[in-house]
Amino acid sequence: MQFHAMETRSSKRKKLAQIEQQNDAKKQPPTDQISDLPDAVIHQILLLLPIKCVAQMSVLSKRWKFLWTTFPDLDFTTLNPFPFVSTKTHKKASNFAKCNHPLSSQKLDFITQVLSIRDTKQKDIRVLCFRARLGFSRLNSLIRNAIRHNVRELDIEVETEFETDDFFNFPRCIIGSESLQVLKLKSGFRLPPSSIMRNGFQSLHTLSLSLIILYNQPSLSDMFNESSFPVLRNLRLDLCFGLTQIRVACRALEDLNLERCYQLQGLDVCGAKIERLRVSSCFDAFCSKTWVRMNVPKLENLVWKYNAVTDVAVFENSNLLNEACIGFYMLKEGKVNMGRLQSANNFFSGLSHAHSLTLENQTIEILSKYNVFLEPFYNLKSLEIHTGLKKRNVQALAFLFRNSLILNTLILKIIDDDKGERKQWNRDLWDMTNTEEEKYWESQIPSLKSFLQHLKVVKIQGFLDCANEVTLTKFLLKQGKVLEKMILCRGYSNRRDTLRRQKIRSQMMGFSWASSNAKVEFQ
């Protein structure tokens, strides 16, 4: 009994000692656990903060001062930048830019100061990103400083310091950089001659050029080749003024994006590794002798929008094409250009192995107006069509359905152009039979056999119960053998929609459906 009592008193003393230690720990100030992390981890955390906050932390301790002076990612776009407006377009914009000019100067001083710290510490820069209005000498000095510190990514958007029509000369120190991997320039840069560009950019894998001046420099049309860009994987060209012809043949290129090169007349793309290609607003319908050649056997994603049909198109078939979005157009006035019709045929032939296809309204108008030949889409599972669904478009839709042999999903985005062809909702439309449109669709049943035996999902956006919409909806419900879902998204909504949907649903139940598993949803 005495031994048990002594053991109990001993255990009590231990518990009291533990409680006292815990209380003492609570009274102590919290330890700085972040500062104990490795430099690379803290730098990664600081990336989430504006660079001004990162700089302010340098006063906390010697440790944090060192972290700031070795911080490799210098993104100065988070500073209060002046509104980036053109000083050549409007007097008010010019005055506004002038009153913000001192802020721009302060920001540049800060950038220069930060880079000078790197000079003393001899630390490399991973990323340098800034937006500013400045002169060429100061811009060239900043870039040279970054190149000396083995910068890997440069992202620069600049305007000339004074209100003139001058352009920036492309900083030549960039061309020979062995460390630079990503280059993004947005300004009125004029590129140097091709002889200087040749054999440069040996480490560059991503290049984005916007607002580039290429007038009277035809030799630059062939600068994107293996010798100048041996490891380039991503190329984006936007607003390249004076660019009339270009050949892209970089052996490592995977992603090519051309936008708003309005004067482009000839495009030659040759790349064994290109997987993604986007060309937008680059060919003008008023230009003659336009051409495009594409040899891209591994192409998976193609976007071709707001481009006029060219006079010549050579598009070698890509068996790996997964998604394509096509939106080209032709002038409506004047004599039909047979060469451009053949060009459209050739372009569509290159899409025959696509798995997913989106066709814009102007492309549907071309198919409706002209006899464009379509090869069967052997792998097409999803088809999205943007159309006004007018009477003249019906044959084009049937033509597309006929060539979509194994289509699974059909999306119709109906465009309301307010030209009076779309009548208001009329309940009699659902009860009418043997209309002209209905007779036409019934006459197409034999040629649409494969299409109707594979179609499972139909989604109609902008549905307003007009004649052509009702007729097509009835036809697909009556003939779709394996149809599972019909989704009708109304073009507008009002308080009478609920009652209207009930009437439509009851009218749909008034005729037999080909598929017992089909369901209709209203959205």
Side-chain angles (χ1 to χ4, degrees):
M1 291 294 293
Q2 185 179 3
F3 175 77
H4 179 72
M6 290 176 61
E7 185 180 12
T8 303
R9 286 195 294 269
S10 176
S11 62
K12 285 183 179 180
R13 284 196 297 270
K14 288 181 180 180
K15 289 181 180 179
L16 289 173
Q18 290 177 355
I19 293 173
E20 288 179 0
Q21 290 177 358
Q22 292 175 358
N23 291 335
D24 291 340
K26 290 180 180 180
K27 293 178 182 179
Q28 293 178 358
T31 58
D32 181 6
Q33 297 180 351
I34 294 180
S35 296
D36 294 332
L37 295 173
D39 292 355
V41 175
I42 299 180
H43 285 159
Q44 199 65 30
I45 296 172
L46 294 178
L47 274 175
L48 304 174
L49 300 175
I51 196 167
K52 189 175 181 179
C53 295
V54 180
Q56 290 170 341
M57 289 180 180
S58 64
V59 301
L60 295 178
S61 66
K62 290 183 179 181
R63 164 76 165 143
W64 282 94
K65 184 177 181 180
F66 175 80
L67 288 168
W68 162 238
T69 56
T70 59
F71 188 55
D73 300 287
L74 305 178
D75 184 358
F76 295 99
T77 59
T78 54
L79 296 176
N80 267 337
F82 61 89
F84 205 80
V85 295
S86 174
T87 59
K88 305 181 183 68
T89 56
H90 201 279
K91 186 175 181 180
K92 289 183 178 179
S94 176
N95 293 335
F96 190 73
K98 288 177 182 178
C99 72
N100 282 276
H101 186 75
L103 179 62
S104 173
S105 178
Q106 293 173 8
K107 184 171 70 169
L108 286 172
D109 292 340
F110 177 61
I111 296 174
T112 304
Q113 181 183 4
V114 172
L115 293 179
S116 66
I117 297 174
R118 297 304 193 280
D119 286 335
T120 59
K121 298 294 182 180
Q122 296 182 345
K123 295 297 181 181
D124 287 350
I125 298 174
R126 187 163 51 199
V127 177
L128 176 60
C129 180
F130 63 86
R131 312 279 183 265
R133 182 178 292 113
L134 73 176
F136 176 72
S137 60
R138 192 163 193 181
L139 171 64
N140 202 37
S141 176
L142 288 173
I143 293 178
R144 282 183 178 276
N145 200 334
I147 295 296
R148 281 200 306 270
H149 290 88
N150 300 316
V151 65
R152 292 186 228 168
E153 179 176 342
L154 269 177
D155 186 348
I156 301 173
E157 182 176 349
V158 292
E159 269 195 358
T160 53
E161 189 173 15
F162 304 104
E163 191 174 344
T164 66
D165 293 328
D166 292 338
F167 305 111
F168 288 106
N169 290 320
F170 190 87
R172 298 190 181 187
C173 60
I174 292 177
I175 300 174
S177 172
E178 297 180 357
S179 62
L180 192 62
Q181 298 176 2
V182 178
L183 176 61
K184 300 177 182 179
L185 294 180
K186 184 175 182 180
S187 179
F189 282 100
R190 181 181 292 276
L191 295 182
S194 59
S195 59
I196 297 176
M197 301 280 282
R198 193 176 296 120
N199 299 322
F201 305 106
Q202 296 300 297
S203 302
L204 201 67
H205 65 68
T206 298
L207 175 62
S208 176
L209 300 176
S210 184
L211 293 168
I212 301 299
I213 311 303
L214 294 170
Y215 289 110
N216 302 319
Q217 294 179 292
S219 62
L220 291 177
S221 62
D222 193 28
M223 67 176 175
F224 294 105
N225 51 49
E226 294 183 9
S227 62
S228 296
F229 298 92
V231 297
L232 189 67
R233 297 197 302 268
N234 304 286
L235 174 61
R236 179 178 181 267
L237 301 177
D238 178 33
L239 286 171
C240 293
F241 300 107
L243 181 64
T244 57
Q245 294 187 12
I246 184 171
R247 183 174 189 270
V248 180
C250 304
R251 64 187 177 193
L253 194 65
E254 299 175 359
D255 193 322
L256 175 60
N257 192 336
L258 274 70
E259 296 184 73
R260 298 183 293 178
C261 298
Y262 299 114
Q263 290 133 332
L264 189 65
Q265 299 177 25
L267 173 63
D268 185 2
V269 180
C270 180
K273 293 185 177 181
I274 294 179
E275 298 177 356
R276 294 168 296 279
L277 174 61
R278 177 184 178 90
V279 180
S280 175
S281 303
C282 286
F283 289 95
D284 193 329
F286 292 98
C287 292
S288 58
K289 299 181 180 180
T290 55
W291 54 272
V292 58
R293 287 194 294 265
M294 292 187 289
N295 182 8
V296 281
K298 290 189 177 181
L299 187 66
E300 295 181 5
N301 189 294
L302 172 66
V303 177
W304 194 274
K305 299 178 68 174
Y306 313 117
N307 302 311
V309 177
T310 56
D311 293 280
V312 177
V314 179
F315 184 11
E316 295 191 12
N317 204 351
S318 177
N319 296 336
L320 300 179
L321 186 61
N322 184 35
E323 294 184 36
C325 179
I326 309 301
F328 47 46
Y329 64 93
M330 292 178 65
L331 291 177
K332 296 181 180 179
E333 296 80 10
K335 187 178 179 180
V336 177
N337 188 321
M338 299 306 296
R340 293 193 174 184
L341 286 181
Q342 181 60 46
S343 175
N345 287 338
N346 295 342
F347 199 98
F348 271 110
S349 297
L351 305 174
S352 60
H353 287 273
H355 291 254
S356 175
L357 180 62
T358 299
L359 298 177
E360 300 286 348
N361 185 40
Q362 291 178 320
T363 306
I364 299 300
E365 291 295 325
I366 292 175
L367 294 176
S368 302
K369 190 174 182 180
Y370 308 107
N371 294 322
V372 177
F373 173 75
L374 288 182
E375 289 189 5
F377 297 108
Y378 300 104
N379 302 320
L380 194 63
K381 295 293 185 67
S382 176
L383 175 62
E384 180 173 338
I385 299 174
H386 301 182
T387 176
L389 204 61
K390 306 180 183 67
K391 289 183 179 180
R392 66 173 180 268
N393 302 138
V394 171
Q395 291 188 3
L397 293 184
F399 191 38
L400 286 168
F401 296 165
R402 192 181 309 132
N403 287 278
S404 304
L405 304 178
I406 59 170
L407 192 70
N408 179 281
T409 302
L410 172 64
I411 300 174
L412 286 176
K413 186 176 180 181
I414 301 175
I415 299 172
D416 191 358
D417 55 10
D418 296 325
K419 292 188 177 179
E421 279 197 42
R422 301 183 73 189
K423 299 178 182 179
Q424 293 297 320
W425 177 77
N426 183 352
R427 63 172 296 167
D428 294 333
L429 290 173
W430 292 93
D431 299 326
M432 294 172 62
T433 57
N434 297 324
T435 62
E436 182 180 348
E437 291 84 1
E438 194 163 329
K439 289 180 180 179
Y440 174 79
W441 282 114
E442 290 177 354
S443 69
Q444 300 299 308
I445 292 176
S447 61
L448 297 178
K449 183 177 179 181
S450 180
F451 167 78
L452 294 170
Q453 288 179 343
H454 289 85
L455 188 65
K456 293 183 178 181
V457 179
V458 177
K459 184 175 183 179
I460 303 179
Q461 298 177 338
F463 186 80
L464 291 179
D465 315 316
C466 300
N468 292 329
E469 302 163 22
V470 170
T471 303
L472 179 57
T473 303
K474 289 172 63 177
F475 174 74
L476 294 176
L477 285 171
K478 286 182 176 181
Q479 305 299 333
K481 306 295 184 181
V482 295
L483 190 66
E484 296 176 358
K485 184 182 293 186
M486 171 83 71
I487 304 172
L488 303 178
C489 305
R490 299 198 54 78
Y492 58 83
S493 178
N494 56 46
R495 64 181 65 178
R496 295 191 300 173
D497 267 359
T498 303
L499 179 60
R500 181 174 298 179
R501 290 175 184 177
Q502 292 176 353
K503 291 181 178 179
I504 293 173
R505 192 184 299 273
S506 63
Q507 288 160 351
M508 283 182 173
M509 299 301 294
F511 56 85
S512 59
W513 299 358
S515 172
S516 59
N517 297 322
K519 296 180 180 180
V520 177
E521 295 181 8
F522 290 92
Q523 293 184 359

